[in-house]
Amino acid sequence: MDEAAVRPDTRLGADATASAPALLLRPWRDDDAPALLAACRDPALRRWTSHRVADEADAHRWLRREAQAWQRGERLAFAVLETPSDGGEDVLAGQAVLKGLTPRSESAEVGYWTAAHARGRGVAPRALRALTDWAFTAHPWLTRLELLHQADNTASCRVAHKSGYPYERSLPAVPPDFPSDGHLHVRRATARG
């Protein structure tokens, strides 16, 4: 594993748009617990993700697990923050994650979620494009990144396409872990830029 590629001070960015502030992607920190807890109270987020953060203690446990996975270099989860141009406080807008990362594999998986207050402003596609560009550059052995979502999650299908991840195929349900059919979207290193 390239140590420089999994540095805990890694920062990624996405430019502001006409209707949304710039984004900062950085590893999660323990002081993100209150914002994480608030985001995870959203019923839509609970429907589409496996996050089960019921209280601040759960949030701290979740953040410790993410930090440990980052240290091992196997799951690189970034808090996605909106950074107002007026110098105001950064606001948690979601997460982008690179997972299943090993130097022996040419592929890994990306994932994301967007906080309820930030939906509809292009947060997920901009964050995924920044993560994807970084992943292929920082981990040169990667030739393929996969994005998986439930087939009935049409918003995630739109995000995949906007992020440069074309639909590849449908996946059958595999209960109990994956109770619904899914979609596989793939971005290849040759599709960069």
Side-chain angles (χ1 to χ4, degrees), residues 37-49 114-117 119:
L37 177 58
C40 288
R41 287 187 171 135
D42 171 38
L45 186 63
R46 287 195 309 269
R47 177 179 180 202
W48 300 117
T49 70
T114 305
H117 69 85
R119 291 187 192 126

Side-chain angles (χ1 to χ4, degrees), residues 1-7 10 12 70 72-76 78 98-103 105-108 110 131-145 189 192:
M1 185 73 52
D2 179 358
E3 292 299 320
V6 294
R7 290 177 51 127
T10 300
L12 311 176
W70 186 287
R72 291 188 302 269
E74 64 190 28
R75 179 182 168 90
L76 308 178
F78 292 85
L98 179 63
K99 51 190 172 177
L101 189 63
T102 66
S105 177
E106 294 180 351
S107 69
V110 297
L131 178 66
T132 299
D133 292 346
W134 173 79
F136 282 133
T137 300
H139 309 285
W141 64 86
L142 287 174
T143 61
R144 167 190 171 103
L145 292 173
R192 294 178 202 187

Side-chain angles (χ1 to χ4, degrees), residues 17 20 51 60 62 66 90 96 107 111 124 126 139 161-162 171-172 176 186 189:
T17 67
H51 296 319
H60 286 290
W62 186 89
E66 291 300 324
D90 293 348
S107 69
R126 291 187 297 139
H139 309 285
H161 288 286
K162 289 177 183 179
L171 303 170
V186 175

